């Protein structure tokens, strides 16, 4: 009996801490999502919000370092009681976020900081990194549109020329991708001069020397601006302006899928990362340019494998009826834990595939158009596991292994457990 009040108090304290952390995260999310605020204003706001999510907000201070600038809570000082996390954008470290206690605080079995507080600072750092990438992409797109409108109105140049000029001045990595694709395309068309675009001399007749199986010294690419000029001057002689514009646009979209490709290919990517990258790709990819391209097919199979099932039998059937853009419509209706790496459950994946089969086959069998598909939300497998674990209901998993009579006897108790969860 004596333990009940202390147990209740402990549970209440834990719930209060979770409430503080969630409120803190909601306020940070609201600030990050406000496109009217500058990055400086967002960081200045976050350093004042974050202490509210920690155990002792009155003596908790925060510092964010980004782009050689520091944003910190008034009264911030270096302290041995600190927790920090790097800010990353596209895998590159662009800054840091640090939380400190400026005075001694009681230590818990988890340390000076709770496990959920460690998770909170990493979640905020991840969202800041995503916000930085989004704003950079948005700035690039706006500059592109302005450059395209201005150049086209002034000189009447082809759209592909405007795009190339833009990337010559802004993003050489995308320009290099376009040039490689263009050279490969011209080689396929039989334009042999394309072989010398990246090097000073044509490829040797004996290709065995090029593909020798031993380490060799890397060769510098050279000035990408000059390379792109040579590549497109050659392309103009053999490819129409309309076709060149279409090709360049497709290759730009392909390169914009790079972050999504990396996310799908990484064993460390969470489901949230994949959904975030899918959303960014959706905003950039306004049509089905990649649908029948090798990259489009790779994205489709990658998304099926990560979100639905990695079984070859399922993938071989699903890829006939599902494409990568089908995942756009369900990405905002997937319910999952914060760090989830799970897939949709077997029934959810099966129903999603069945929906796509019906949609495709209804073109040949009009009767199938009468089948109504309800708006559906999807739970990941680890969402249910998290629910059971959080409520200490792991024993529920044992029920399917018991005899039917035993299950019937224990059923009222299971109902009671679930209602008290």
């Amino acid at each position: 009996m004596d333990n009940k009040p202390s147990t209740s108090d402990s549970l209440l304290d834990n719930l209060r801490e979770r409430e503080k952390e969630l409120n803190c995260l909601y306020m940070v999310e609201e600030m990050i999502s406000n496109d009217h605020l500058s990055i400086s204003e967002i960081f200045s706001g976050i350093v004042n919000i974050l202490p509210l999510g920690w155990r002792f907000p009155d003596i908790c201070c925060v510092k964010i370092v980004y782009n050689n600038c520091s944003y910190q809570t008034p009264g911030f000082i270096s302290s041995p009681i600190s927790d920090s996390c790097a800010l990353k954008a596209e895998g590159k470290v662009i800054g840091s976020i640090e939380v400190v206690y400026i005075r001694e605080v009681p230590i818990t079995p988890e340390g000076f900081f709770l496990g959920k507080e460690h998770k909170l600072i990493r979640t905020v750092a991840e969202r800041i990194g995503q916000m930085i990438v989004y704003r950079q992409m948005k700035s690039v797109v706006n500059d592109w549109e302005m450059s395209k409108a201005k150049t086209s109105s002034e000189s009447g140049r082809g759209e592909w020329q405007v795009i190339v000029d833009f990337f010559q001045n802004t993003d050489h990595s995308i320009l290099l991708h376009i040039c490689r694709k263009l050279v490969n395309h011209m080689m396929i068309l039989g334009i042999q001069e394309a072989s010398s675009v990246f090097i000073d001399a044509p490829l040797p007749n004996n290709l065995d020397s090029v593909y020798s199986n031993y380490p060799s010294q890397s060769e510098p690419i050279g000035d990408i601006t000059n390379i792109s000029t040579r590549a497109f001057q050659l392309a103009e002689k053999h490819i129409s302006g309309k076709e060149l514009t279409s090709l360049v646009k497709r290759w730009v979209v392909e390169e914009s899928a790079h972050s999504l490709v990396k996310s799908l290919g990484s064993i460390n990517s969470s489901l949230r990362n994949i959904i975030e990258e899918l959303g960014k790709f959706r905003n950039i990819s306004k049509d089905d340019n990649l649908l029948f391209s090798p990259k489009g097919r790779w994205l489709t199979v990658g998304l099926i494998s990560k979100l639905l099932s990695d079984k070859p039998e399922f993938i071989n059937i699903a890829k006939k009826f599902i494409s990568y853009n089908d995942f756009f419509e369900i990405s905002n209706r997937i319910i999952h834990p914060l760090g989830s790496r799970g897939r949709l459950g077997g029934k959810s994946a099966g129903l999603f595939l069945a929906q796509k089969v019906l949609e495709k086959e209804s073109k040949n069998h009009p009767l199938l158009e009468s089948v109504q598909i309800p708006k559906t939300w999807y739970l990941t497998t680890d969402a249910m596991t998290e629910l059971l674990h959080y409520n200490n209901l792991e024993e529920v998993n044992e029920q399917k292994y018991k005899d039917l009579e035993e299950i019937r006897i224990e059923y009222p108790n299971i109902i009671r457990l679930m209602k008290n969860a």
Side-chain angles (χ1 to χ4, degrees):
M1 295 291 292
D2 295 337
N3 291 332
K4 286 186 177 179
S6 60
T7 302
S8 300
D9 291 344
S10 176
L11 179 59
L12 189 59
D13 288 342
N14 286 336
L15 289 174
R16 284 171 178 160
E17 290 300 323
R18 297 299 82 75
E19 181 187 20
K20 285 164 54 179
E21 291 157 9
L22 284 172
N23 287 335
C24 174
L25 194 56
Y26 290 147
M27 287 189 286
V28 169
E29 183 66 34
E30 186 177 357
M31 181 154 284
I32 285 176
S33 302
N34 190 339
D35 291 335
H36 299 294
L37 297 177
S38 67
I39 289 180
S40 294
E41 289 172 328
I42 289 173
F43 287 160
S44 297
I46 289 176
V47 296
N48 289 313
I49 290 171
L50 272 188
L52 302 177
W54 267 252
R55 284 193 300 155
F56 305 102
D58 294 340
I59 55 172
C60 181
C61 293
V62 178
K63 180 170 75 171
I64 295 176
V65 176
Y66 171 72
N67 203 20
N68 295 322
C69 293
S70 177
Y71 309 85
Q72 57 192 41
T73 311
F76 179 93
I77 58 173
S78 296
S79 168
I81 307 175
S82 69
D83 189 15
S84 63
C85 184
L87 302 178
K88 294 183 179 180
E90 298 289 319
K92 298 178 181 177
V93 176
I94 56 171
S96 64
I97 180 169
E98 182 182 10
V99 177
V100 302
Y101 283 126
I102 57 176
R103 292 203 302 271
E104 198 73 26
V105 295
I107 192 168
T108 72
E110 300 176 74
F112 288 108
F113 298 97
L114 303 176
K116 294 291 185 181
E117 291 172 340
H118 289 298
K119 198 169 186 177
L120 179 59
I121 189 174
R122 278 146 186 76
T123 301
V124 171
E126 181 182 320
R127 286 295 295 119
I128 289 174
Q130 291 166 351
M131 179 267 293
I132 296 293
V133 172
Y134 171 77
R135 292 208 170 198
Q136 289 173 344
M137 290 174 63
K138 189 175 180 180
S139 175
V140 167
V141 170
N142 290 339
D143 290 346
W144 182 354
E145 294 296 334
M146 290 176 59
S147 173
K148 185 171 69 173
K150 181 179 178 181
T151 309
S152 297
S153 62
E154 290 178 354
S155 61
R157 303 176 70 199
E159 190 173 352
W160 69 263
Q161 293 171 306
V162 177
I163 296 172
V164 171
D165 285 348
F166 172 77
F167 286 119
Q168 282 181 344
N169 295 320
T170 57
D171 196 324
H172 284 183
S173 64
I174 293 182
L175 184 61
L176 177 60
H177 171 79
I178 294 171
C179 289
R180 288 193 186 282
K181 287 287 188 178
L182 179 58
V183 168
N184 291 342
H185 184 73
M186 289 192 289
M187 292 290 288
I188 291 171
L189 294 177
I191 305 170
Q192 293 302 318
E193 303 99 300
S195 64
S196 61
V197 168
F198 279 95
I199 52 179
D200 295 330
L203 289 172
N205 293 328
N206 181 13
L207 290 179
D208 289 341
S209 62
V210 178
Y211 301 114
S212 298
N213 188 22
Y214 58 83
S216 59
Q217 188 175 4
S218 61
E219 298 178 1
I221 292 175
D223 187 348
I224 185 59
T225 302
N226 291 335
I227 290 172
S228 65
T229 301
R230 292 203 303 270
F232 281 94
Q233 283 177 348
L234 180 60
E236 276 187 293
K237 299 176 183 177
H238 302 276
I239 305 173
S240 69
K242 185 177 180 180
E243 183 184 357
L244 205 50
T245 296
S246 176
L247 289 169
V248 169
K249 283 183 173 180
R250 191 180 79 197
W251 294 331
V252 169
V253 174
E254 280 186 6
E255 182 62 14
S256 70
H258 181 65
S259 294
L260 177 57
V261 169
K262 285 187 68 175
S263 184
L264 290 172
S266 172
I267 61 173
N268 296 318
S269 289
S270 67
L271 184 56
R272 179 175 179 175
N273 294 143
I274 294 172
I275 291 174
E276 289 275 354
E277 296 300 339
L278 188 62
K280 294 174 191 173
F281 179 62
R282 179 184 189 177
N283 293 332
I284 295 171
S285 177
K286 299 298 183 183
D287 49 37
D288 296 333
N289 273 343
L290 299 186
L291 202 54
F292 302 106
S293 69
K295 181 159 284 188
R297 291 194 291 269
W298 190 97
L299 285 173
T300 295
V301 171
L303 286 165
I304 291 172
S305 176
K306 282 284 189 179
L307 300 185
L308 303 183
S309 172
D310 61 352
K311 295 180 179 178
E313 300 85 357
F314 184 93
I315 294 173
N316 287 333
I317 296 173
K319 68 184 182 181
K320 298 175 184 177
F321 300 95
I322 297 174
S323 66
Y324 65 81
N325 52 15
D326 290 322
F327 289 93
F328 294 157
E329 64 187 72
I330 68 165
S331 59
N332 292 328
R333 287 187 275 119
I334 297 176
I335 301 171
H336 58 89
L338 188 61
S340 173
R341 285 175 171 77
R343 300 181 178 88
L344 305 192
K347 296 181 183 66
S348 295
L351 286 171
F352 179 59
L353 174 58
Q355 176 184 348
K356 295 305 164 185
V357 171
L358 287 172
E359 288 176 2
K360 188 169 184 178
E361 292 301 315
S362 63
K363 298 174 184 177
N364 302 321
H365 305 282
L367 185 62
L368 294 176
E369 293 179 0
S370 62
V371 179
Q372 298 294 312
I373 309 295
K375 191 171 184 180
T376 308
W377 278 259
Y378 303 88
L379 283 172
T380 58
T381 51
D382 55 358
M384 292 304 299
T385 304
E386 185 86 359
L387 173 69
L388 295 176
H389 178 71
Y390 184 79
N391 291 286
N392 297 316
L393 294 173
E394 286 84 358
E395 64 184 272
V396 174
N397 286 323
E398 302 173 10
Q399 297 303 310
K400 59 184 177 182
Y401 301 106
K402 294 180 179 180
D403 295 331
L404 183 59
E405 187 62 29
E406 190 177 0
I407 293 173
R408 285 173 174 162
I409 292 171
E410 293 188 3
Y411 181 71
N413 184 47
I414 295 298
I415 295 299
R416 194 176 301 109
L417 281 172
M418 296 298 288
K419 286 185 175 180
N420 290 330

